[in-house]
Amino acid sequence: MRLGYFTMPVHPMGRTWAETLKEDREAVILADQLGFYDAFIGEHLTDACENITNSMIFQASLIHATKQIKLATGTTNLSHLHPVLVAAQAAMFDHLCEGRFVLGVSPGALTCDAEALGILDEDRGRLFADAIDVILAIWEREPPYDIDFSGNRYKVSIARTMTLDLGIGYIGKPFQKPRPEIVGTVVAPFSPGIVHMGRRDFHPLSANFLLAKHLKSHWQNYCKGKMDVGAEAKVADWRVARAVCVHDDDKVAARYGRYDAKSPYRFYYEQMRAKMKRGNRLYVFKSYKEQPDEEITHDYVMDHCVIHGSVNKVVDRILALREETGDFGELVYAGMDWVEPVLNKRSMQLMAEEVMPRVNAALGKSAAA
């Protein structure tokens, strides 16, 4: 099982923007040094707490500061940009990092972003679907492209203006062939969208604010999508994100990861709970569909969404998670604000150097048996 990293990120509004950007960069650089497989960075245009506005620009600043980690958008919000822009910019990024690139995509869920862009009343799911079809077509075709899919709002052609002997009219292709890995973040229990991901050979990343009991539904739907096109789902392609706070001392992990009023984990999940409630999406935290909203308290969310403890305790929790969900290819560690940087760094170090080796050793013994 691989170890990945994901951060939205979520910082208190009182912190300076330059400071939090430096911290977020430092976290990815540390993840690279510790051998994390990939790092996903989220983006929003109009959120003072989740204040990375373009994940590709942010990740570009890390290409020469890292050596091996894959740099992933987590996600590029496709309703915000014309697909020609995404196709061309993602292709250039892939060349800049020589293939250390994963294109994470989503429609873009923040309504304030949509309002600012003048697309609040648009079907952003439809914009997403239209955009991804065009991006793939650009990477597959040659000039003049002549992309004109029925019902798709985006039409792409340079037939009238191209001068190919001068290089005018070419949209660049990615470094990776035939294209970079494409990953979609999945939030809702029993998400039907993941079926389409399986059909298109996009890979799912199950969000860290979904209850563990619902994760298995993601794999089942992904397998269905694969079966629909006569393909086999590969466990290695499924990523599961979790919030983990691990420390040498169980009491320190419990304080920082759960109970302290200044815990970044508490701040993160209070933000997530409030934002999901605002967007009528508290269902992501529910154990069952009819569960009353009143039961989804801050403590309820913390109890269900945060793994904290010493190395042995966290190893046991991850192995229990795998027993509940079935096998998955990557555990994605959710990054938090660095209230106490020493504790955040130690948690990442222990995950890479102690927890995951023990988890994989246990899984190896189980497979052998």
Side-chain angles (χ1 to χ4, degrees), residues 127-139:
L127 291 174
F128 167 82
D130 287 354
I132 198 67
D133 285 344
V134 172
I135 291 165
L136 294 177
I138 289 170
W139 287 347

Side-chain angles (χ1 to χ4, degrees), residues 171-357:
I171 304 174
K173 299 286 194 292
F175 179 88
Q176 299 174 75
K177 304 302 178 188
R179 60 166 172 79
E181 180 184 11
I182 297 177
V183 171
T185 301
V186 191
V187 176
F190 307 97
S191 169
I194 201 170
V195 178
H196 298 292
M197 291 175 62
R199 293 171 184 159
R200 302 296 295 272
D201 195 31
F202 304 162
H203 300 158
L205 193 166
S206 298
N208 55 283
F209 30 86
L210 183 70
L211 266 59
K213 67 179 295 182
H214 298 308
L215 290 170
K216 196 169 187 176
S217 71
H218 287 179
W219 179 245
Q220 291 167 341
N221 279 4
Y222 185 66
C223 289
K224 182 182 184 305
K226 283 291 186 181
M227 289 177 61
D228 288 347
V229 294
E232 182 179 353
K234 298 177 181 177
V235 165
D237 295 336
W238 183 27
R239 294 168 169 88
V240 172
R242 295 287 92 181
V244 181
C245 180
V246 57
H247 196 266
D248 304 276
D249 186 319
D250 187 69
K251 291 182 179 179
V252 173
R255 174 186 68 81
Y256 197 61
R258 174 66 176 85
Y259 296 106
D260 193 318
K262 294 182 180 180
S263 163
Y265 294 80
R266 290 194 68 84
F267 173 73
Y268 179 97
Y269 279 104
E270 179 55 25
Q271 277 270 316
M272 289 299 101
R273 189 185 72 90
K275 288 174 178 177
M276 292 300 178
K277 183 177 180 180
R278 173 183 177 272
N280 296 316
R281 301 173 70 197
L282 274 180
Y283 58 81
V284 303
F285 294 123
K286 294 187 176 183
S287 295
Y288 55 96
K289 188 176 181 180
E290 298 79 15
Q291 188 173 9
D293 287 358
E294 298 74 37
E295 293 185 9
I296 313 303
T297 64
H298 189 192
D299 284 330
Y300 171 91
V301 172
M302 293 293 292
D303 288 341
H304 285 82
C305 293
V306 181
I307 296 172
H308 60 79
S310 60
V311 170
N312 287 338
K313 184 176 179 180
V314 171
V315 168
D316 289 343
R317 289 284 301 276
I318 293 172
L319 290 173
L321 172 70
R322 183 183 173 277
E323 284 294 315
E324 184 175 8
T325 64
D327 200 6
F328 51 91
E330 181 173 321
L331 180 71
V332 182
Y333 180 98
M336 303 288 158
D337 184 75
W338 285 11
V339 175
E340 297 181 43
V342 171
L343 297 185
N344 289 78
K345 293 175 184 179
R346 184 57 175 162
S347 182
M348 290 178 66
Q349 181 184 12
L350 289 172
M351 277 296 298
E353 297 179 354
E354 298 287 342
V355 172
M356 293 309 293

Side-chain angles (χ1 to χ4, degrees), residues 33-174:
Q33 294 168 347
L34 292 171
F36 282 59
Y37 179 77
D38 46 26
F40 290 82
I41 304 294
E43 67 180 32
H44 294 289
L45 297 172
T46 60
D47 192 321
C49 296
E50 301 177 43
N51 55 14
I52 289 178
T53 60
N54 185 298
S55 55
M56 209 176 295
I57 290 175
F58 176 85
Q59 293 284 40
S61 78
L62 286 158
I63 291 172
H64 298 296
T66 57
K67 295 181 179 180
Q68 60 186 358
I69 197 167
K70 289 182 177 288
L71 302 171
T73 59
T75 63
T76 295
N77 296 324
L78 296 187
S79 68
H80 296 179
L81 297 166
H82 193 286
V84 170
L85 291 173
V86 178
Q89 291 166 0
M92 186 183 77
F93 189 103
D94 200 30
H95 282 270
L96 283 170
C97 67
E98 297 184 350
R100 284 195 294 129
F101 175 57
V102 177
L103 178 61
V105 294
S106 72
L110 190 59
T111 53
C112 283
D113 286 358
E115 183 177 7
L117 292 168
I119 59 171
L120 182 59
D121 297 322
E122 298 268 9
D123 182 345
R124 294 188 294 282
R126 178 63 183 273
L127 291 174
F128 167 82
D130 287 354
I132 198 67
D133 285 344
V134 172
I135 291 165
L136 294 177
I138 289 170
W139 287 347
E140 292 164 358
R141 299 186 185 188
E142 300 296 333
Y145 303 102
D146 290 335
I147 299 168
D148 187 3
F149 299 127
S150 177
N152 192 308
R153 72 162 52 199
Y154 302 111
K155 318 296 180 186
V156 179
S157 176
I158 43 78
R160 295 172 58 192
T161 57
M162 67 183 188
T163 308
L164 298 185
D165 60 326
L166 295 178
I168 297 173
Y170 288 100
I171 304 174
K173 299 286 194 292

